[in-house]
Amino acid sequence: MDLMPQTADSSNRSDPSSERSTLASIRRLHPYVRTALPRLIGGLVASLGASLMALSIPAVLRWVTDGPLTQGARDHDWSGLIWSVVLVAVLGAGEAGLILLRRTLVMFPGTRVEAGMRMALFRHLQDLPVAFHDRWPGGQLLSRIMGDLGLLRRWLVFGVLQLVVSFVTIVVGVGLLVATGGWLGIIFLCGSIPVTILAFRFSSKYRKISRLSQDQSGDLATTVEESVHGIRVLKAFGRGPDALDQFTDQAEGLRETELRKATTDAGLTTALRVIPEVTQGIALVVGTYLVASGDMTLGTLVAFFATAQVINGPVVDLGMTLSMTLNARTAVDRFFEVTDTVNPLTDPATPADVPAVTPGQAAQAGGHVAFRDVTFRYDDAARPVLDHVDLELPPGTTTALVGLTGSGKSTLAMLPPRLFDVTEGVVEVDGVDVRDMTRAQVRERVAVAFEDPTLFSASVRDNVLLGVSDTLPGAEREALLTQALEIAQAQFVAGLPDGVDTRIGEEGMSLSGGQRQRLALARAIAARPRVLVLDDPLSALDVTTEEAVTARLRDVLVATTTLVIAHRPSTVALADRVAVLQGGRITAVGTHHDLLASDPHYRYIISSLEDDYEAHEHEHEHDREHGPDERDKQNEGALS
Amino acid sequence: MTATTQPTTGPADRRRPTDAAADDETSLGKEASRSVRRRSMRLLGDLLRPHKKALAWAAVLVVASTLGQVAGPWLVAVAIDRAVPALQDGSVTPLVLSGAGYLAAAVLGGVAAGAYVRAAARIAQAVLLDLRRRVFRQTQRLSLEFHESYTSGRIISRQTSDLEALRELLDGGLTGVVSSLLLMVFTFVSLLLIDWRSGLVLAVAFLPAWLLTRWFQRMSQVFYREQRTASARLIVKFVETMTGMRAVQAFRREPTTEADYRKLGEDYRDANLQIFGVNGRFQPGLILIGNMTVVAALAVGGWRVLDGTMDVGVLAAVLLYCKRFFQPVQQLGMFYNSFQSATAALEKVSGLLSEEPTVTEPANPTSLPLGDGGRARGELRLDHVRFQYGDGPVVLPDLDLSIPAGQTVAVVGTTGAGKSTVAKLVTRFYDASEGAVRLDGVDVRDLSSSDLRRAVVMVTQEAYLFSGSVRENIALGRPDATQEEIEAAARAVGAHEFVLDMPDGYDTDVNKRGGRVSAGQRQLLSFARAFLADPAVLVLDEATSSLDMPGERLVQRGLQTLLADRTAIIIAHRLSTVAIADRVLVMEHGRIVEDGTPAELIAGDGQYARLHEAWLDSLV
C-alpha cells in the first residue's frame, strides 16, 4: 500500500508537485474542463469584445463631438446628432450585452466543472480503503473538496478570463507603444523587463506560501472537527480553554502565513504600480524634451500616454489575477494529490463467478470462511499483527475469537469483508479467495457490527436497514427491521418520538452507548448475511439485556456462520467453539469448557473465578518486583 | 446499560428553538429577515470596532494611492501645456517639476497601494482570528444538547467557508469601494463645475441604478442564504460520510451516499448558479445604465450645442466625465456582491454565536472550600432533584441522595432507569429542572467551570482520542503533568505496556480517531487521563465496557488505590466493577429502589441480589 502519510503538522508535509510548472499543473484539469471549453472560449471572446467596446466608446465620443456635432452646429443639421446618439447607444448596449453574454457563458462551466470534480473526488474517497481514511484527517479532505474546489470555481469564472484579457491588452498595448512611440516605446519596453522578472520570482515564492496556507486551513478544520466530536471529553475534563489555546496557536499560525502572503502580494502590487509609472515618468521627461526639440510631434506624445493609460489598469490587475491563478494551481495540486492516490484494495479485473446474493434475503445456509496462513502487517508497522494465522469457520458455526486487548482480534475481523487485505496468505469465503471477488460481492456475503457503533444522522429505519437491498419489497424490509430490532432488544426505539422514523443525532450521539450498540447489532442482523462478524457486540449491554440478546441471537445464528469477538464469558456463551488469538497466532481452538481446562492463557483472559483472582494477585506481587513486562509469563506460570 | 431516557422518551424530544432545521431556513419572514440582518451587522461592527485606527489608516492609504493614480494624467497635461513651451523658451524648471512630480506620484501611489494590501490583510486576519476564537469558544461553551442537533459539519462550515466569505469582503472590498467612490465624487464635482445641467442628467441615472441595486439586494440576500445553507449541508454530509467510512463500505452504501452527496452538490451548484445569474445581470445592468446615461447626456448636450446654448468643447468634456463617472461602477457592484455574501455568512455565524447554552456559567461564582492538599472534599448531595430533557417526560421525578466524601457508590439498574442522568447532573452536563446538586455544600450552578472540572471528572464510554501523541492524549487530564506522572498514570491502569509496544512509545501519533488503537486500549488511555486529573469526585459512566477481563482487573486494582480517598460514582453493568463499591444504589424509573452495601443487598432478595446471581452464572 502506498498511502501518503498525513500528519497534523504541516511543516513536514512534502509537496510532490512543486517540480511541476503552474501551466503543467493546470493543464491536468483538461479532462474535467473539456466539455466546458467551448463555452469558456466563447466567454473569452465576449470578454475581449466587451473590452474593445469599452475602449472604443471614449474615442467615438471624441470623434462625435469633433466631427458631426461641430459640423452640425455650424450647418444646423440635426441628423448628425441622431446618428451619433444611435451609434453611442448601440456601442453602450453592445458592451453591456457582451458582458451579460460572458457572464452567462462562463457561469455554467465554472459551477459544473466544480461539481464534476467534487463528485470525482468524493467517488475516489469512497473507493479508497479504510486504511487511507485512518490516516488522512477529515479536515484536510474537507478543505480540498470545499475550499480548494471553490477557489477553482472562482478562478474559472473570473480569474482565467481576466488573466487572458489583461495579458492580451498588455501585449497589444506594448506592441502599439513600441511600434508607434519610437524611443518612448523602447523605454517602456525596458520597464517591462524588471516587471516580468519580479512576476516570476513572486510566483515561486507565493506558491509555497499559498500551499502552506491551504494546508494549514485543512489542519484547522481538522481541529474544529475533533473539538466537536470529542466535546464530551473536553467538557468532562474542563479542557475547553486548553483546546481554545491550541486552536488559537493554530489559527495564529494560519494568520501569520496569510500575512506573509499579503506581504509578498504587497511587494508585487507596489512593483506593478511603481515600475510602469516610473518608466512613464522618464518617458514624460524624454518625450517633452523631444517635442520641445522638434524631434517628436505633440500628437505622438499625447497618443503614447493615452495608450499607456489603457495598459496601466491591466498591469495592476495582473498582480491580483496572478495570485488568484497561483492559489488555483495549489488547489489543483491538492486535488490531484488525493485523486492520484492509488487504491491498493481494488476489485479484480475478472471477478470470480459466484452466485448473486440479495442482502436482506435470509440465507439458506451459512458461508464457509477460511483463513489460510494469513499474515497481516500495517504499512508503517515493523511487526505483523497477524502472523501466519490458520482458522476455519465451518458453515453455520459460531466461533468466538478471544484474545487480550490489542492482540489483533479486530484486525482479523476486518479481513473477511475486505476492509483490509491480507499481507500474505488467503482469506476464503465459500472456497473463493475474497480478493477474487468484487468488494460488493464479498460484502453482500459478510456483514459486520463494529465495536464502535458508527451510526448516521438519519432515521433509525435507515440506520438499521443500511445493509438491506433497496430493491426488496417494502413489506419485507419492514419485517426485517422489526425482527432485527426485536432480536437486538432495541425496543426502546418504539418509545422515540417518531418511532423508527426518529432521526438520530450525529453519529448517534444522542443515544446512550448501549442503545447505539444495539442498533449497530440490529443493522448487522438485518443484512441477513451468510457470514456475520460481531466485534464485541454486547459490551455496553447490561446483564439482563445481554442475556435476552444472547438467547435470541443463538436462534438466529443457527444457519449463519458467525465470528464473534468476545471479552467475557457471557459473550463466549453465544459460540459453539472458541479460538484463542495470542501473539498474532491462533494458539488453540476448542469448546469453552475444553479450553478452560486445557489452555492457561484462555483461562487467564476469560476467567474471573476467585482462585484465578488469587493467582492474579500473586502475579501482581511479582509485577511489583519484576516489572510488568513479565506479567504474562508470570501469570501463565502461576496458573499452570 | 446506560440510559439517558426512559423507554417512553427520546433525545429527539428535546427540540430546541435553534436547531439544524432553523439554521437551514432560508426564506425568512420580513421581520425575521430584518432582525437576522441587524444581528449580523452588529457582529460586523463589533468585530471592526477595535480596528478603527487601522481602518482609518487603510482608508488614508487608499486615498493616497487613488490620488497618485489621478495625479498621473493631470501631470502629463501640465507637462504638455506648460513644459513644452517653457522648454522652447529655454526654461527647464517646469519640465523638472512635472517630471519630478510624476515620479513622486508614481512612488507614493505605488507604495501606498502596496502598504494598503498589507494593512487590509492585517485587519482582515485580526478580525478572522478574533471571530474564529469566538466561534470556537462558543462551540465549547454550548451544551451537549445543542451539539446533538447542530452537528460538527455545520460548525466546521461556520469556521471555514463562512469565514472565507467574510475574508473576501475584508481583503479586497475596501480598496474597491473607497477608491471607486472617491473617483466618482471627483468626477461628479468636476462635472457640476463645468455644467450643472448635465450634472442633473447624471443625477437622474441614480434612480434606475438604485432600483437595480434594490432588486439585486433582495434576490442575492435569499440566494446567498441558500448558498450558505447548501454549503453547510454539503459539508455535514461529507464529514459524516468520511467519519463513518467503515460502515459505508462494509454495508456497500457507496452508491447511496454518492447519490445523496450528488444531490446536495447539485443544490450547492444551483445556488451558485443563481448567484452568478443575478450577479451576471446586476453588473451588466449597471454598465448599461451608465452607458445610456452617456447617451442621454450626448442627446441633451448635442441638442443644446445645436441650439447654440452650449459649446462643443464643454460637451466633449461633459461626455468624458460622464463616461468616467461610471467606470468604477463595476467595482462597486463587485464590492456590493461580496458584501452580500459576507452578510449571509455572518447571519449564520452570528446565529451560532447568539445561541445561549442551557448550562450557563455563574456571573459571580462561589469558590469551592478546599481541604487538605488543595482538593475539594467531594461530598455530594442531590437535593430533591427533578429532571426532564426540555419539555420531554420526567426522567428523575424526585431524587434525594447524599454521598459522603470519600464514598464509592455504584449505580445499577436497567435501561432508562436514569443512571447516566445522575452522572450528567453531577458533572453539570445538564442542570436539574428542579432542586439542586451540591458539591461540598455549594450548588454546582454557582461554581466556576474551572473549579467544577478540577473537582469532578467523568470518564465516559466513548473514549475519544484526539489526533496527536499518546502523551498529549493522556496529558489532557492535566496539561502540566510531567512525563513521569503521565507514565505513572498509564501504569496504574495497565496501559504502559502497550504504549511502549507502539512504534514511538508515548510519542506515537494515535492518528485519526484512534485509528490503530483498539477500543479497549482507548478506554485504558482515557482512564489514565482520569488518574492524571486527580479529581475529588470521579464519575465513571460505563467506562470499562470494552476492557478484557485482565484489563478490567488491572483497572479495578488501580481504582481501589485511586478511590481510597475520593468520592466516586460508578455506573456499570459489569457487577465485577461494582464489587469495589462501598455502597450500591439500584435505580428504576428515576427512583432509587435499593440502597445499601453490596453485602447487604446480596443477602436480601431484591433486584440487586437477582442481578448478582445472574452475573455469577455468567462467569466461568
Side-chain angles (χ1 to χ4, degrees):
Chain A
M1 285 197 240
D2 179 32
L3 302 174
M4 176 169 307
Q6 201 75 3
T7 64
D9 178 13
S10 326
S11 58
N12 59 21
R13 204 171 285 152
S14 67
D15 179 1
S17 51
S18 59
E19 302 306 316
R20 209 172 274 128
S21 79
T22 300
L23 195 65
S25 264
I26 283 173
R27 206 180 291 140
R28 304 185 73 198
L29 285 177
H30 186 255
Y32 297 99
V33 182
R34 210 180 46 223
T35 52
L37 268 182
R39 271 167 168 271
L40 271 180
I41 292 169
L44 188 65
V45 172
S47 192
L48 284 169
S51 308
L52 209 66
M53 291 223 171
L55 285 176
S56 65
I57 291 176
V60 169
L61 285 175
R62 201 169 299 153
W63 175 77
V64 162
T65 46
D66 290 352
L69 277 186
T70 318
Q71 190 70 27
R74 224 180 290 132
D75 305 348
H76 293 280
D77 177 10
W78 292 75
S79 65
L81 174 62
I82 292 167
W83 279 117
S84 310
V85 167
V86 170
L87 179 63
V88 176
V90 167
L91 280 177
E95 187 197 359
L98 282 173
I99 291 180
L100 184 69
L101 181 66
R102 186 201 89 190
R103 290 278 193 159
T104 315
L105 281 174
V106 297
M107 69 184 196
F108 287 102
T111 46
R112 295 243 161 96
V113 168
E114 181 199 16
M117 290 178 74
R118 176 168 294 128
M119 281 320 294
L121 184 54
F122 188 78
R123 220 176 292 125
H124 190 65
L125 284 173
Q126 285 213 100
D127 192 51
L128 283 170
V130 168
F132 173 89
H133 292 279
D134 282 348
R135 294 222 210 138
W136 277 69
Q140 274 300 344
L141 297 176
L142 181 79
S143 78
R144 279 163 166 87
I145 209 165
M146 289 305 289
D148 286 348
L149 290 184
L151 268 176
L152 203 62
R153 174 189 70 228
R154 286 194 291 275
W155 183 73
L156 281 174
V157 171
F158 300 109
V160 74
L161 296 191
Q162 208 181 346
L163 191 69
V164 174
V165 170
S166 296
F167 192 71
V168 168
T169 316
I170 292 169
V171 168
V172 170
V174 172
L176 268 176
L177 287 180
V178 174
T180 61
W183 279 110
L184 299 188
I186 290 165
I187 292 175
F188 198 89
L189 197 61
C190 291
S192 64
I193 294 169
V195 169
T196 316
I197 295 172
L198 278 172
F200 269 106
R201 291 212 354 221
F202 164 83
S203 297
S204 66
K205 193 168 168 193
Y206 188 88
R207 224 183 60 211
K208 286 196 191 85
I209 309 176
S210 143
R211 170 78 207 203
L212 180 63
S213 139
Q214 271 149 282
D215 284 345
Q216 283 177 331
S217 305
D219 291 340
L220 204 63
T222 304
T223 305
V224 171
E225 186 184 351
E226 289 193 347
S227 77
V228 180
H229 284 157
I231 190 133
R232 280 154 198 262
V233 175
L234 292 176
K235 274 192 187 287
F237 285 90
R239 288 290 163 249
D242 300 276
L244 178 63
D245 286 348
Q246 200 205 330
F247 174 78
T248 305
D249 287 347
Q250 248 181 320
E252 180 63 43
L254 177 60
R255 187 183 82 99
E256 275 160 22
T257 309
E258 285 292 326
L259 283 183
R260 266 173 60 205
K261 205 160 111 180
T263 307
T264 315
D265 210 356
L268 185 71
T269 304
T270 310
L272 287 182
R273 277 282 299 267
V274 171
I275 295 173
E277 290 273 10
V278 166
T279 327
Q280 285 169 47
I282 295 169
L284 179 66
V285 174
V286 173
T288 311
Y289 180 78
L290 286 176
V291 170
S293 68
D295 292 326
M296 184 186 260
T297 66
L298 192 62
T300 312
L301 184 63
V302 172
F304 174 84
F305 276 99
T307 316
Q309 281 297 317
V310 174
I311 308 176
N312 279 347
V315 169
V316 172
D317 283 350
L318 201 60
M320 208 182 74
T321 31
L322 202 57
S323 30
M324 200 173 179
T325 305
L326 292 170
N327 285 332
R329 180 247 152 105
T330 309
V332 171
D333 287 347
R334 280 165 46 94
F335 172 84
F336 281 109
E337 216 168 82
V338 179
T339 53
D340 283 350
T341 309
V342 179
N343 186 358
L345 205 155
T346 49
D347 294 334
T350 45
D353 188 20
V354 289
V357 184
T358 311
Q361 231 149 44
Q364 290 310 304
H368 182 142
V369 179
F371 297 80
R372 301 199 196 283
D373 201 22
V374 165
T375 297
F376 182 85
R377 187 175 57 79
Y378 286 101
D379 277 356
D380 51 356
R383 276 176 296 149
V385 183
L386 301 175
D387 190 10
H388 302 285
V389 166
D390 278 298
L391 180 65
E392 293 255 352
L393 309 179
T397 56
T398 297
T399 308
L401 186 63
V402 175
L404 284 171
T405 278
S407 59
K409 302 185 297 292
S410 294
T411 305
L412 188 126
M414 296 300 116
L415 296 178
R418 283 197 80 196
L419 289 170
F420 287 107
D421 265 349
V422 295
T423 312
E424 277 168 46
V426 178
V427 176
E428 284 173 7
V429 171
D430 294 333
V432 182
D433 186 338
V434 288
R435 287 169 300 182
D436 290 339
M437 289 190 251
T438 64
R439 283 165 286 173
Q441 283 175 330
V442 180
R443 290 167 193 169
E444 275 164 8
R445 289 170 165 71
V446 185
V448 199
F450 300 98
E451 53 185 348
D452 292 323
T454 313
L455 300 180
F456 298 95
S457 54
S459 66
V460 170
R461 178 202 310 276
D462 289 347
N463 268 292
V464 173
L465 294 180
L466 199 68
V468 174
S469 168
D470 297 330
T471 55
L472 279 186
E476 272 183 51
R477 284 169 60 86
E478 279 316 289
L480 280 173
L481 173 69
T482 318
Q483 199 192 16
L485 288 174
E486 191 265 320
I487 294 167
Q489 301 296 307
Q491 291 89 341
F492 69 91
V493 168
L496 296 176
D498 302 320
V500 289
D501 293 312
T502 311
R503 269 184 85 85
I504 48 186
E506 181 173 29
E507 295 178 61
M509 276 300 193
S510 49
L511 300 174
S512 78
Q515 288 173 326
R516 286 210 306 269
Q517 207 170 42
R518 277 178 284 169
L519 288 187
L521 184 62
R523 179 167 71 191
I525 296 168
R528 286 305 169 88
R530 290 169 61 78
V531 179
L532 184 61
V533 177
L534 304 173
D535 194 348
D536 204 10
L538 312 173
S539 68
L541 306 189
D542 61 84
V543 187
T544 332
T545 317
E546 187 177 4
E547 228 175 297
V549 174
T550 311
R552 291 293 288 120
L553 262 185
R554 282 193 73 99
D555 291 347
V556 181
L557 299 185
V558 167
T560 314
T561 310
T562 308
L563 181 66
V564 55
I565 291 175
H567 278 137
R568 36 198 98 244
S570 49
T571 321
V572 172
L574 278 171
D576 315 317
R577 54 209 276 279
V578 178
V580 181
L581 187 63
Q582 186 187 6
R585 287 162 184 269
I586 300 287
T587 51
V589 181
T591 66
H592 173 62
H593 289 286
D594 290 350
L595 288 179
L596 211 54
S598 64
D599 194 88
H601 184 68
Y602 181 65
R603 201 158 56 227
Y604 166 60
I605 296 171
I606 212 77
S607 160
S608 47
L609 284 185
E610 287 304 313
D611 348 337
D612 295 325
Y613 253 92
E614 281 182 20
H616 197 71
E617 285 305 307
H618 174 65
E619 157 258 315
H620 182 59
E621 298 293 312
H622 282 270
D623 245 25
R624 287 188 198 138
E625 287 158 31
H626 305 291
D629 292 344
E630 290 178 55
R631 183 191 65 177
D632 233 24
K633 243 181 295 166
Q634 289 289 343
N635 181 62
E636 280 176 46
L639 282 167
S640 52
Chain B
M1 173 60 242
T2 26
T4 56
T5 53
Q6 291 189 349
T8 49
T9 77
D13 254 5
R14 310 170 224 153
R15 288 187 179 117
R16 297 175 42 76
T18 307
D19 55 8
D23 183 68
D24 282 357
E25 199 57 60
T26 48
S27 49
L28 303 168
K30 207 166 182 177
E31 201 41 54
S33 174
R34 198 167 298 154
S35 88
V36 158
R37 197 134 264 240
R38 252 202 314 273
R39 186 181 69 197
S40 61
M41 283 301 109
R42 217 176 19 244
L43 175 62
L44 186 61
D46 226 32
L47 289 166
L48 289 176
R49 204 162 300 121
H51 306 288
K52 254 191 274 182
K53 276 192 193 151
L55 277 170
W57 172 236
V60 168
L61 288 173
V62 172
V63 172
S65 128
T66 311
L67 286 180
Q69 222 169 357
V70 180
W74 179 72
L75 285 165
V76 171
V78 168
I80 290 169
D81 291 350
R82 307 256 174 86
V84 173
L87 206 58
Q88 281 161 345
D89 294 346
S91 161
V92 199
T93 327
L95 175 62
V96 171
L97 281 181
S98 56
Y102 198 101
L103 291 179
V107 172
L108 175 78
V111 169
Y116 168 78
V117 171
R118 282 208 50 169
R122 203 171 297 134
I123 298 168
Q125 290 302 321
V127 166
L128 288 181
L129 183 63
D130 181 11
L131 194 53
R132 281 203 174 103
R133 280 176 46 92
R134 282 190 200 202
V135 173
F136 194 92
R137 194 185 302 123
Q138 173 75 352
T139 309
Q140 292 296 319
R141 198 172 75 102
L142 286 170
S143 328
L144 288 174
E145 52 184 331
F146 173 83
H147 287 292
E148 279 163 8
S149 143
Y150 202 77
T151 70
S152 64
R154 251 182 212 89
I155 285 170
I156 296 174
S157 116
R158 300 291 95 92
Q159 283 275 29
T160 55
S161 68
D162 287 350
L163 258 63
E164 189 56 32
L166 179 62
R167 189 183 91 120
E168 266 166 39
L169 173 71
L170 295 172
D171 253 6
L174 202 63
T175 7
V177 81
V178 173
S179 62
S180 303
L181 284 176
L182 216 62
L183 281 175
M184 288 173 91
V185 169
F186 281 162
T187 318
F188 190 62
V189 169
S190 315
L191 179 63
L192 282 181
L193 288 178
I194 293 178
D195 181 51
W196 64 268
R197 282 189 189 85
S198 302
L200 286 185
V201 173
L202 198 58
V204 171
F206 279 119
L207 185 69
W210 184 76
L211 287 176
L212 182 65
T213 308
R214 281 290 300 166
W215 169 81
F216 173 72
Q217 187 195 343
R218 259 204 328 276
M219 302 297 279
S220 67
Q221 191 170 339
V222 176
F223 290 156
Y224 270 117
R225 267 182 204 146
E226 279 178 14
Q227 185 213 30
R228 292 292 92 209
T229 302
S231 141
R233 284 200 180 127
L234 197 58
I235 291 177
V236 167
K237 182 77 192 171
F238 182 79
V239 168
E240 193 172 77
T241 308
M242 292 304 130
T243 311
M245 190 51 83
R246 264 168 209 264
V248 169
Q249 293 191 345
F251 290 95
R252 308 171 316 281
R253 285 328 265 182
E254 294 98 329
T256 322
T257 38
E258 189 184 319
D260 290 352
Y261 191 73
R262 182 187 298 282
K263 173 80 190 44
L264 293 171
E266 273 164 17
D267 289 349
Y268 180 57
R269 191 197 64 199
D270 290 346
N272 278 324
L273 269 180
Q274 279 179 320
I275 287 168
F276 281 135
V278 64
N279 209 358
R281 275 172 282 168
F282 174 56
Q283 294 205 357
L286 283 179
I287 287 166
L288 187 66
I289 291 170
N291 285 345
M292 290 307 122
T293 312
V294 175
V295 172
L298 175 63
V300 173
W303 186 71
R304 282 163 65 204
V305 167
L306 292 179
D307 216 24
T309 49
M310 190 191 218
D311 195 55
V312 178
V314 175
L315 176 62
V318 162
L319 291 181
L320 287 179
Y321 279 130
C322 281
K323 179 67 192 153
R324 194 182 295 165
F325 179 83
F326 284 103
Q327 258 160 14
V329 123
Q330 205 168 349
Q331 268 196 317
L332 271 189
M334 268 164 76
F335 166 78
Y336 196 62
N337 184 37
S338 54
F339 179 76
Q340 289 286 345
S341 159
T343 325
L346 276 176
E347 284 177 3
K348 299 285 183 195
V349 176
S350 64
L352 174 59
L353 288 178
S354 67
E355 268 310 305
E356 273 309 316
T358 41
V359 173
T360 53
E361 201 53 30
N364 301 303
T366 311
S367 61
L368 201 57
L370 296 182
D372 303 334
R375 212 169 64 191
R377 286 188 305 118
E379 185 213 326
L380 281 172
R381 168 117 179 82
L382 279 80
D383 190 357
H384 294 284
V385 166
R386 179 187 163 84
F387 182 77
Q388 62 192 115
Y389 291 107
D391 307 325
V394 177
V395 182
L396 304 177
D398 178 24
L399 189 70
D400 200 53
L401 173 67
S402 288
I403 300 175
Q407 194 174 58
T408 300
V409 179
V411 185
V412 296
T414 48
T415 306
K419 296 166 298 183
S420 282
T421 308
V422 172
K424 286 173 182 165
L425 289 174
V426 169
T427 49
R428 230 193 145 212
F429 276 29
Y430 290 90
D431 273 340
S433 312
E434 273 169 46
V437 177
R438 296 207 178 81
L439 173 63
D440 292 344
V442 183
D443 192 324
V444 289
R445 284 170 295 204
D446 292 335
L447 289 170
S448 73
S449 68
S450 62
D451 270 9
L452 178 67
R453 300 300 173 207
R454 175 78 195 81
V456 183
V457 156
M458 170 153 79
V459 182
T460 60
Q461 191 181 38
E462 305 90 28
Y464 188 83
L465 294 187
F466 294 87
S467 60
S469 64
V470 172
R471 179 204 321 280
E472 284 161 358
N473 268 293
I474 298 178
L476 197 97
R478 184 153 52 88
D480 58 356
T482 63
Q483 174 67 19
E484 285 69 40
E485 289 169 320
I486 289 171
E487 280 181 27
R491 237 184 225 117
V493 298
H496 184 68
E497 290 85 352
F498 83 78
V499 172
L500 285 189
D501 258 6
M502 297 172 105
D504 303 313
Y506 282 87
D507 293 318
T508 309
D509 201 301
V510 296
N511 259 329
K512 194 190 170 197
R513 313 212 65 200
R516 203 69 54 74
V517 188
S518 77
Q521 289 170 335
R522 276 211 310 268
Q523 286 197 335
L524 289 180
L525 290 180
S526 73
F527 253 110
R529 267 178 200 159
F531 268 63
L532 198 60
D534 188 31
V537 179
L538 185 64
V539 181
L540 305 178
D541 189 359
E542 305 282 9
T544 55
S545 59
S546 294
L547 297 184
D548 52 30
M549 305 294 257
E552 190 173 331
R553 269 177 232 144
L554 215 56
V555 166
Q556 280 199 41
R557 225 178 15 238
L559 276 178
Q560 266 169 329
T561 331
L562 179 79
L563 300 185
D565 57 344
R566 70 194 77 212
T567 314
I569 297 180
I570 302 176
I571 295 166
H573 46 262
R574 307 259 164 257
L575 294 199
S576 49
T577 316
V578 175
I580 62 168
D582 306 319
R583 175 182 174 193
V584 175
L585 302 174
V586 180
M587 287 187 72
E588 208 178 79
H589 301 310
R591 289 189 171 83
I592 294 168
V593 291
E594 288 171 44
D595 181 354
T597 65
E600 280 168 19
L601 294 187
I602 290 168
D605 59 351
Q607 262 197 47
Y608 185 74
R610 283 199 301 278
L611 279 173
H612 188 77
E613 207 166 315
W615 175 69
L616 279 182
D617 282 351
S618 81
L619 294 179
V620 196

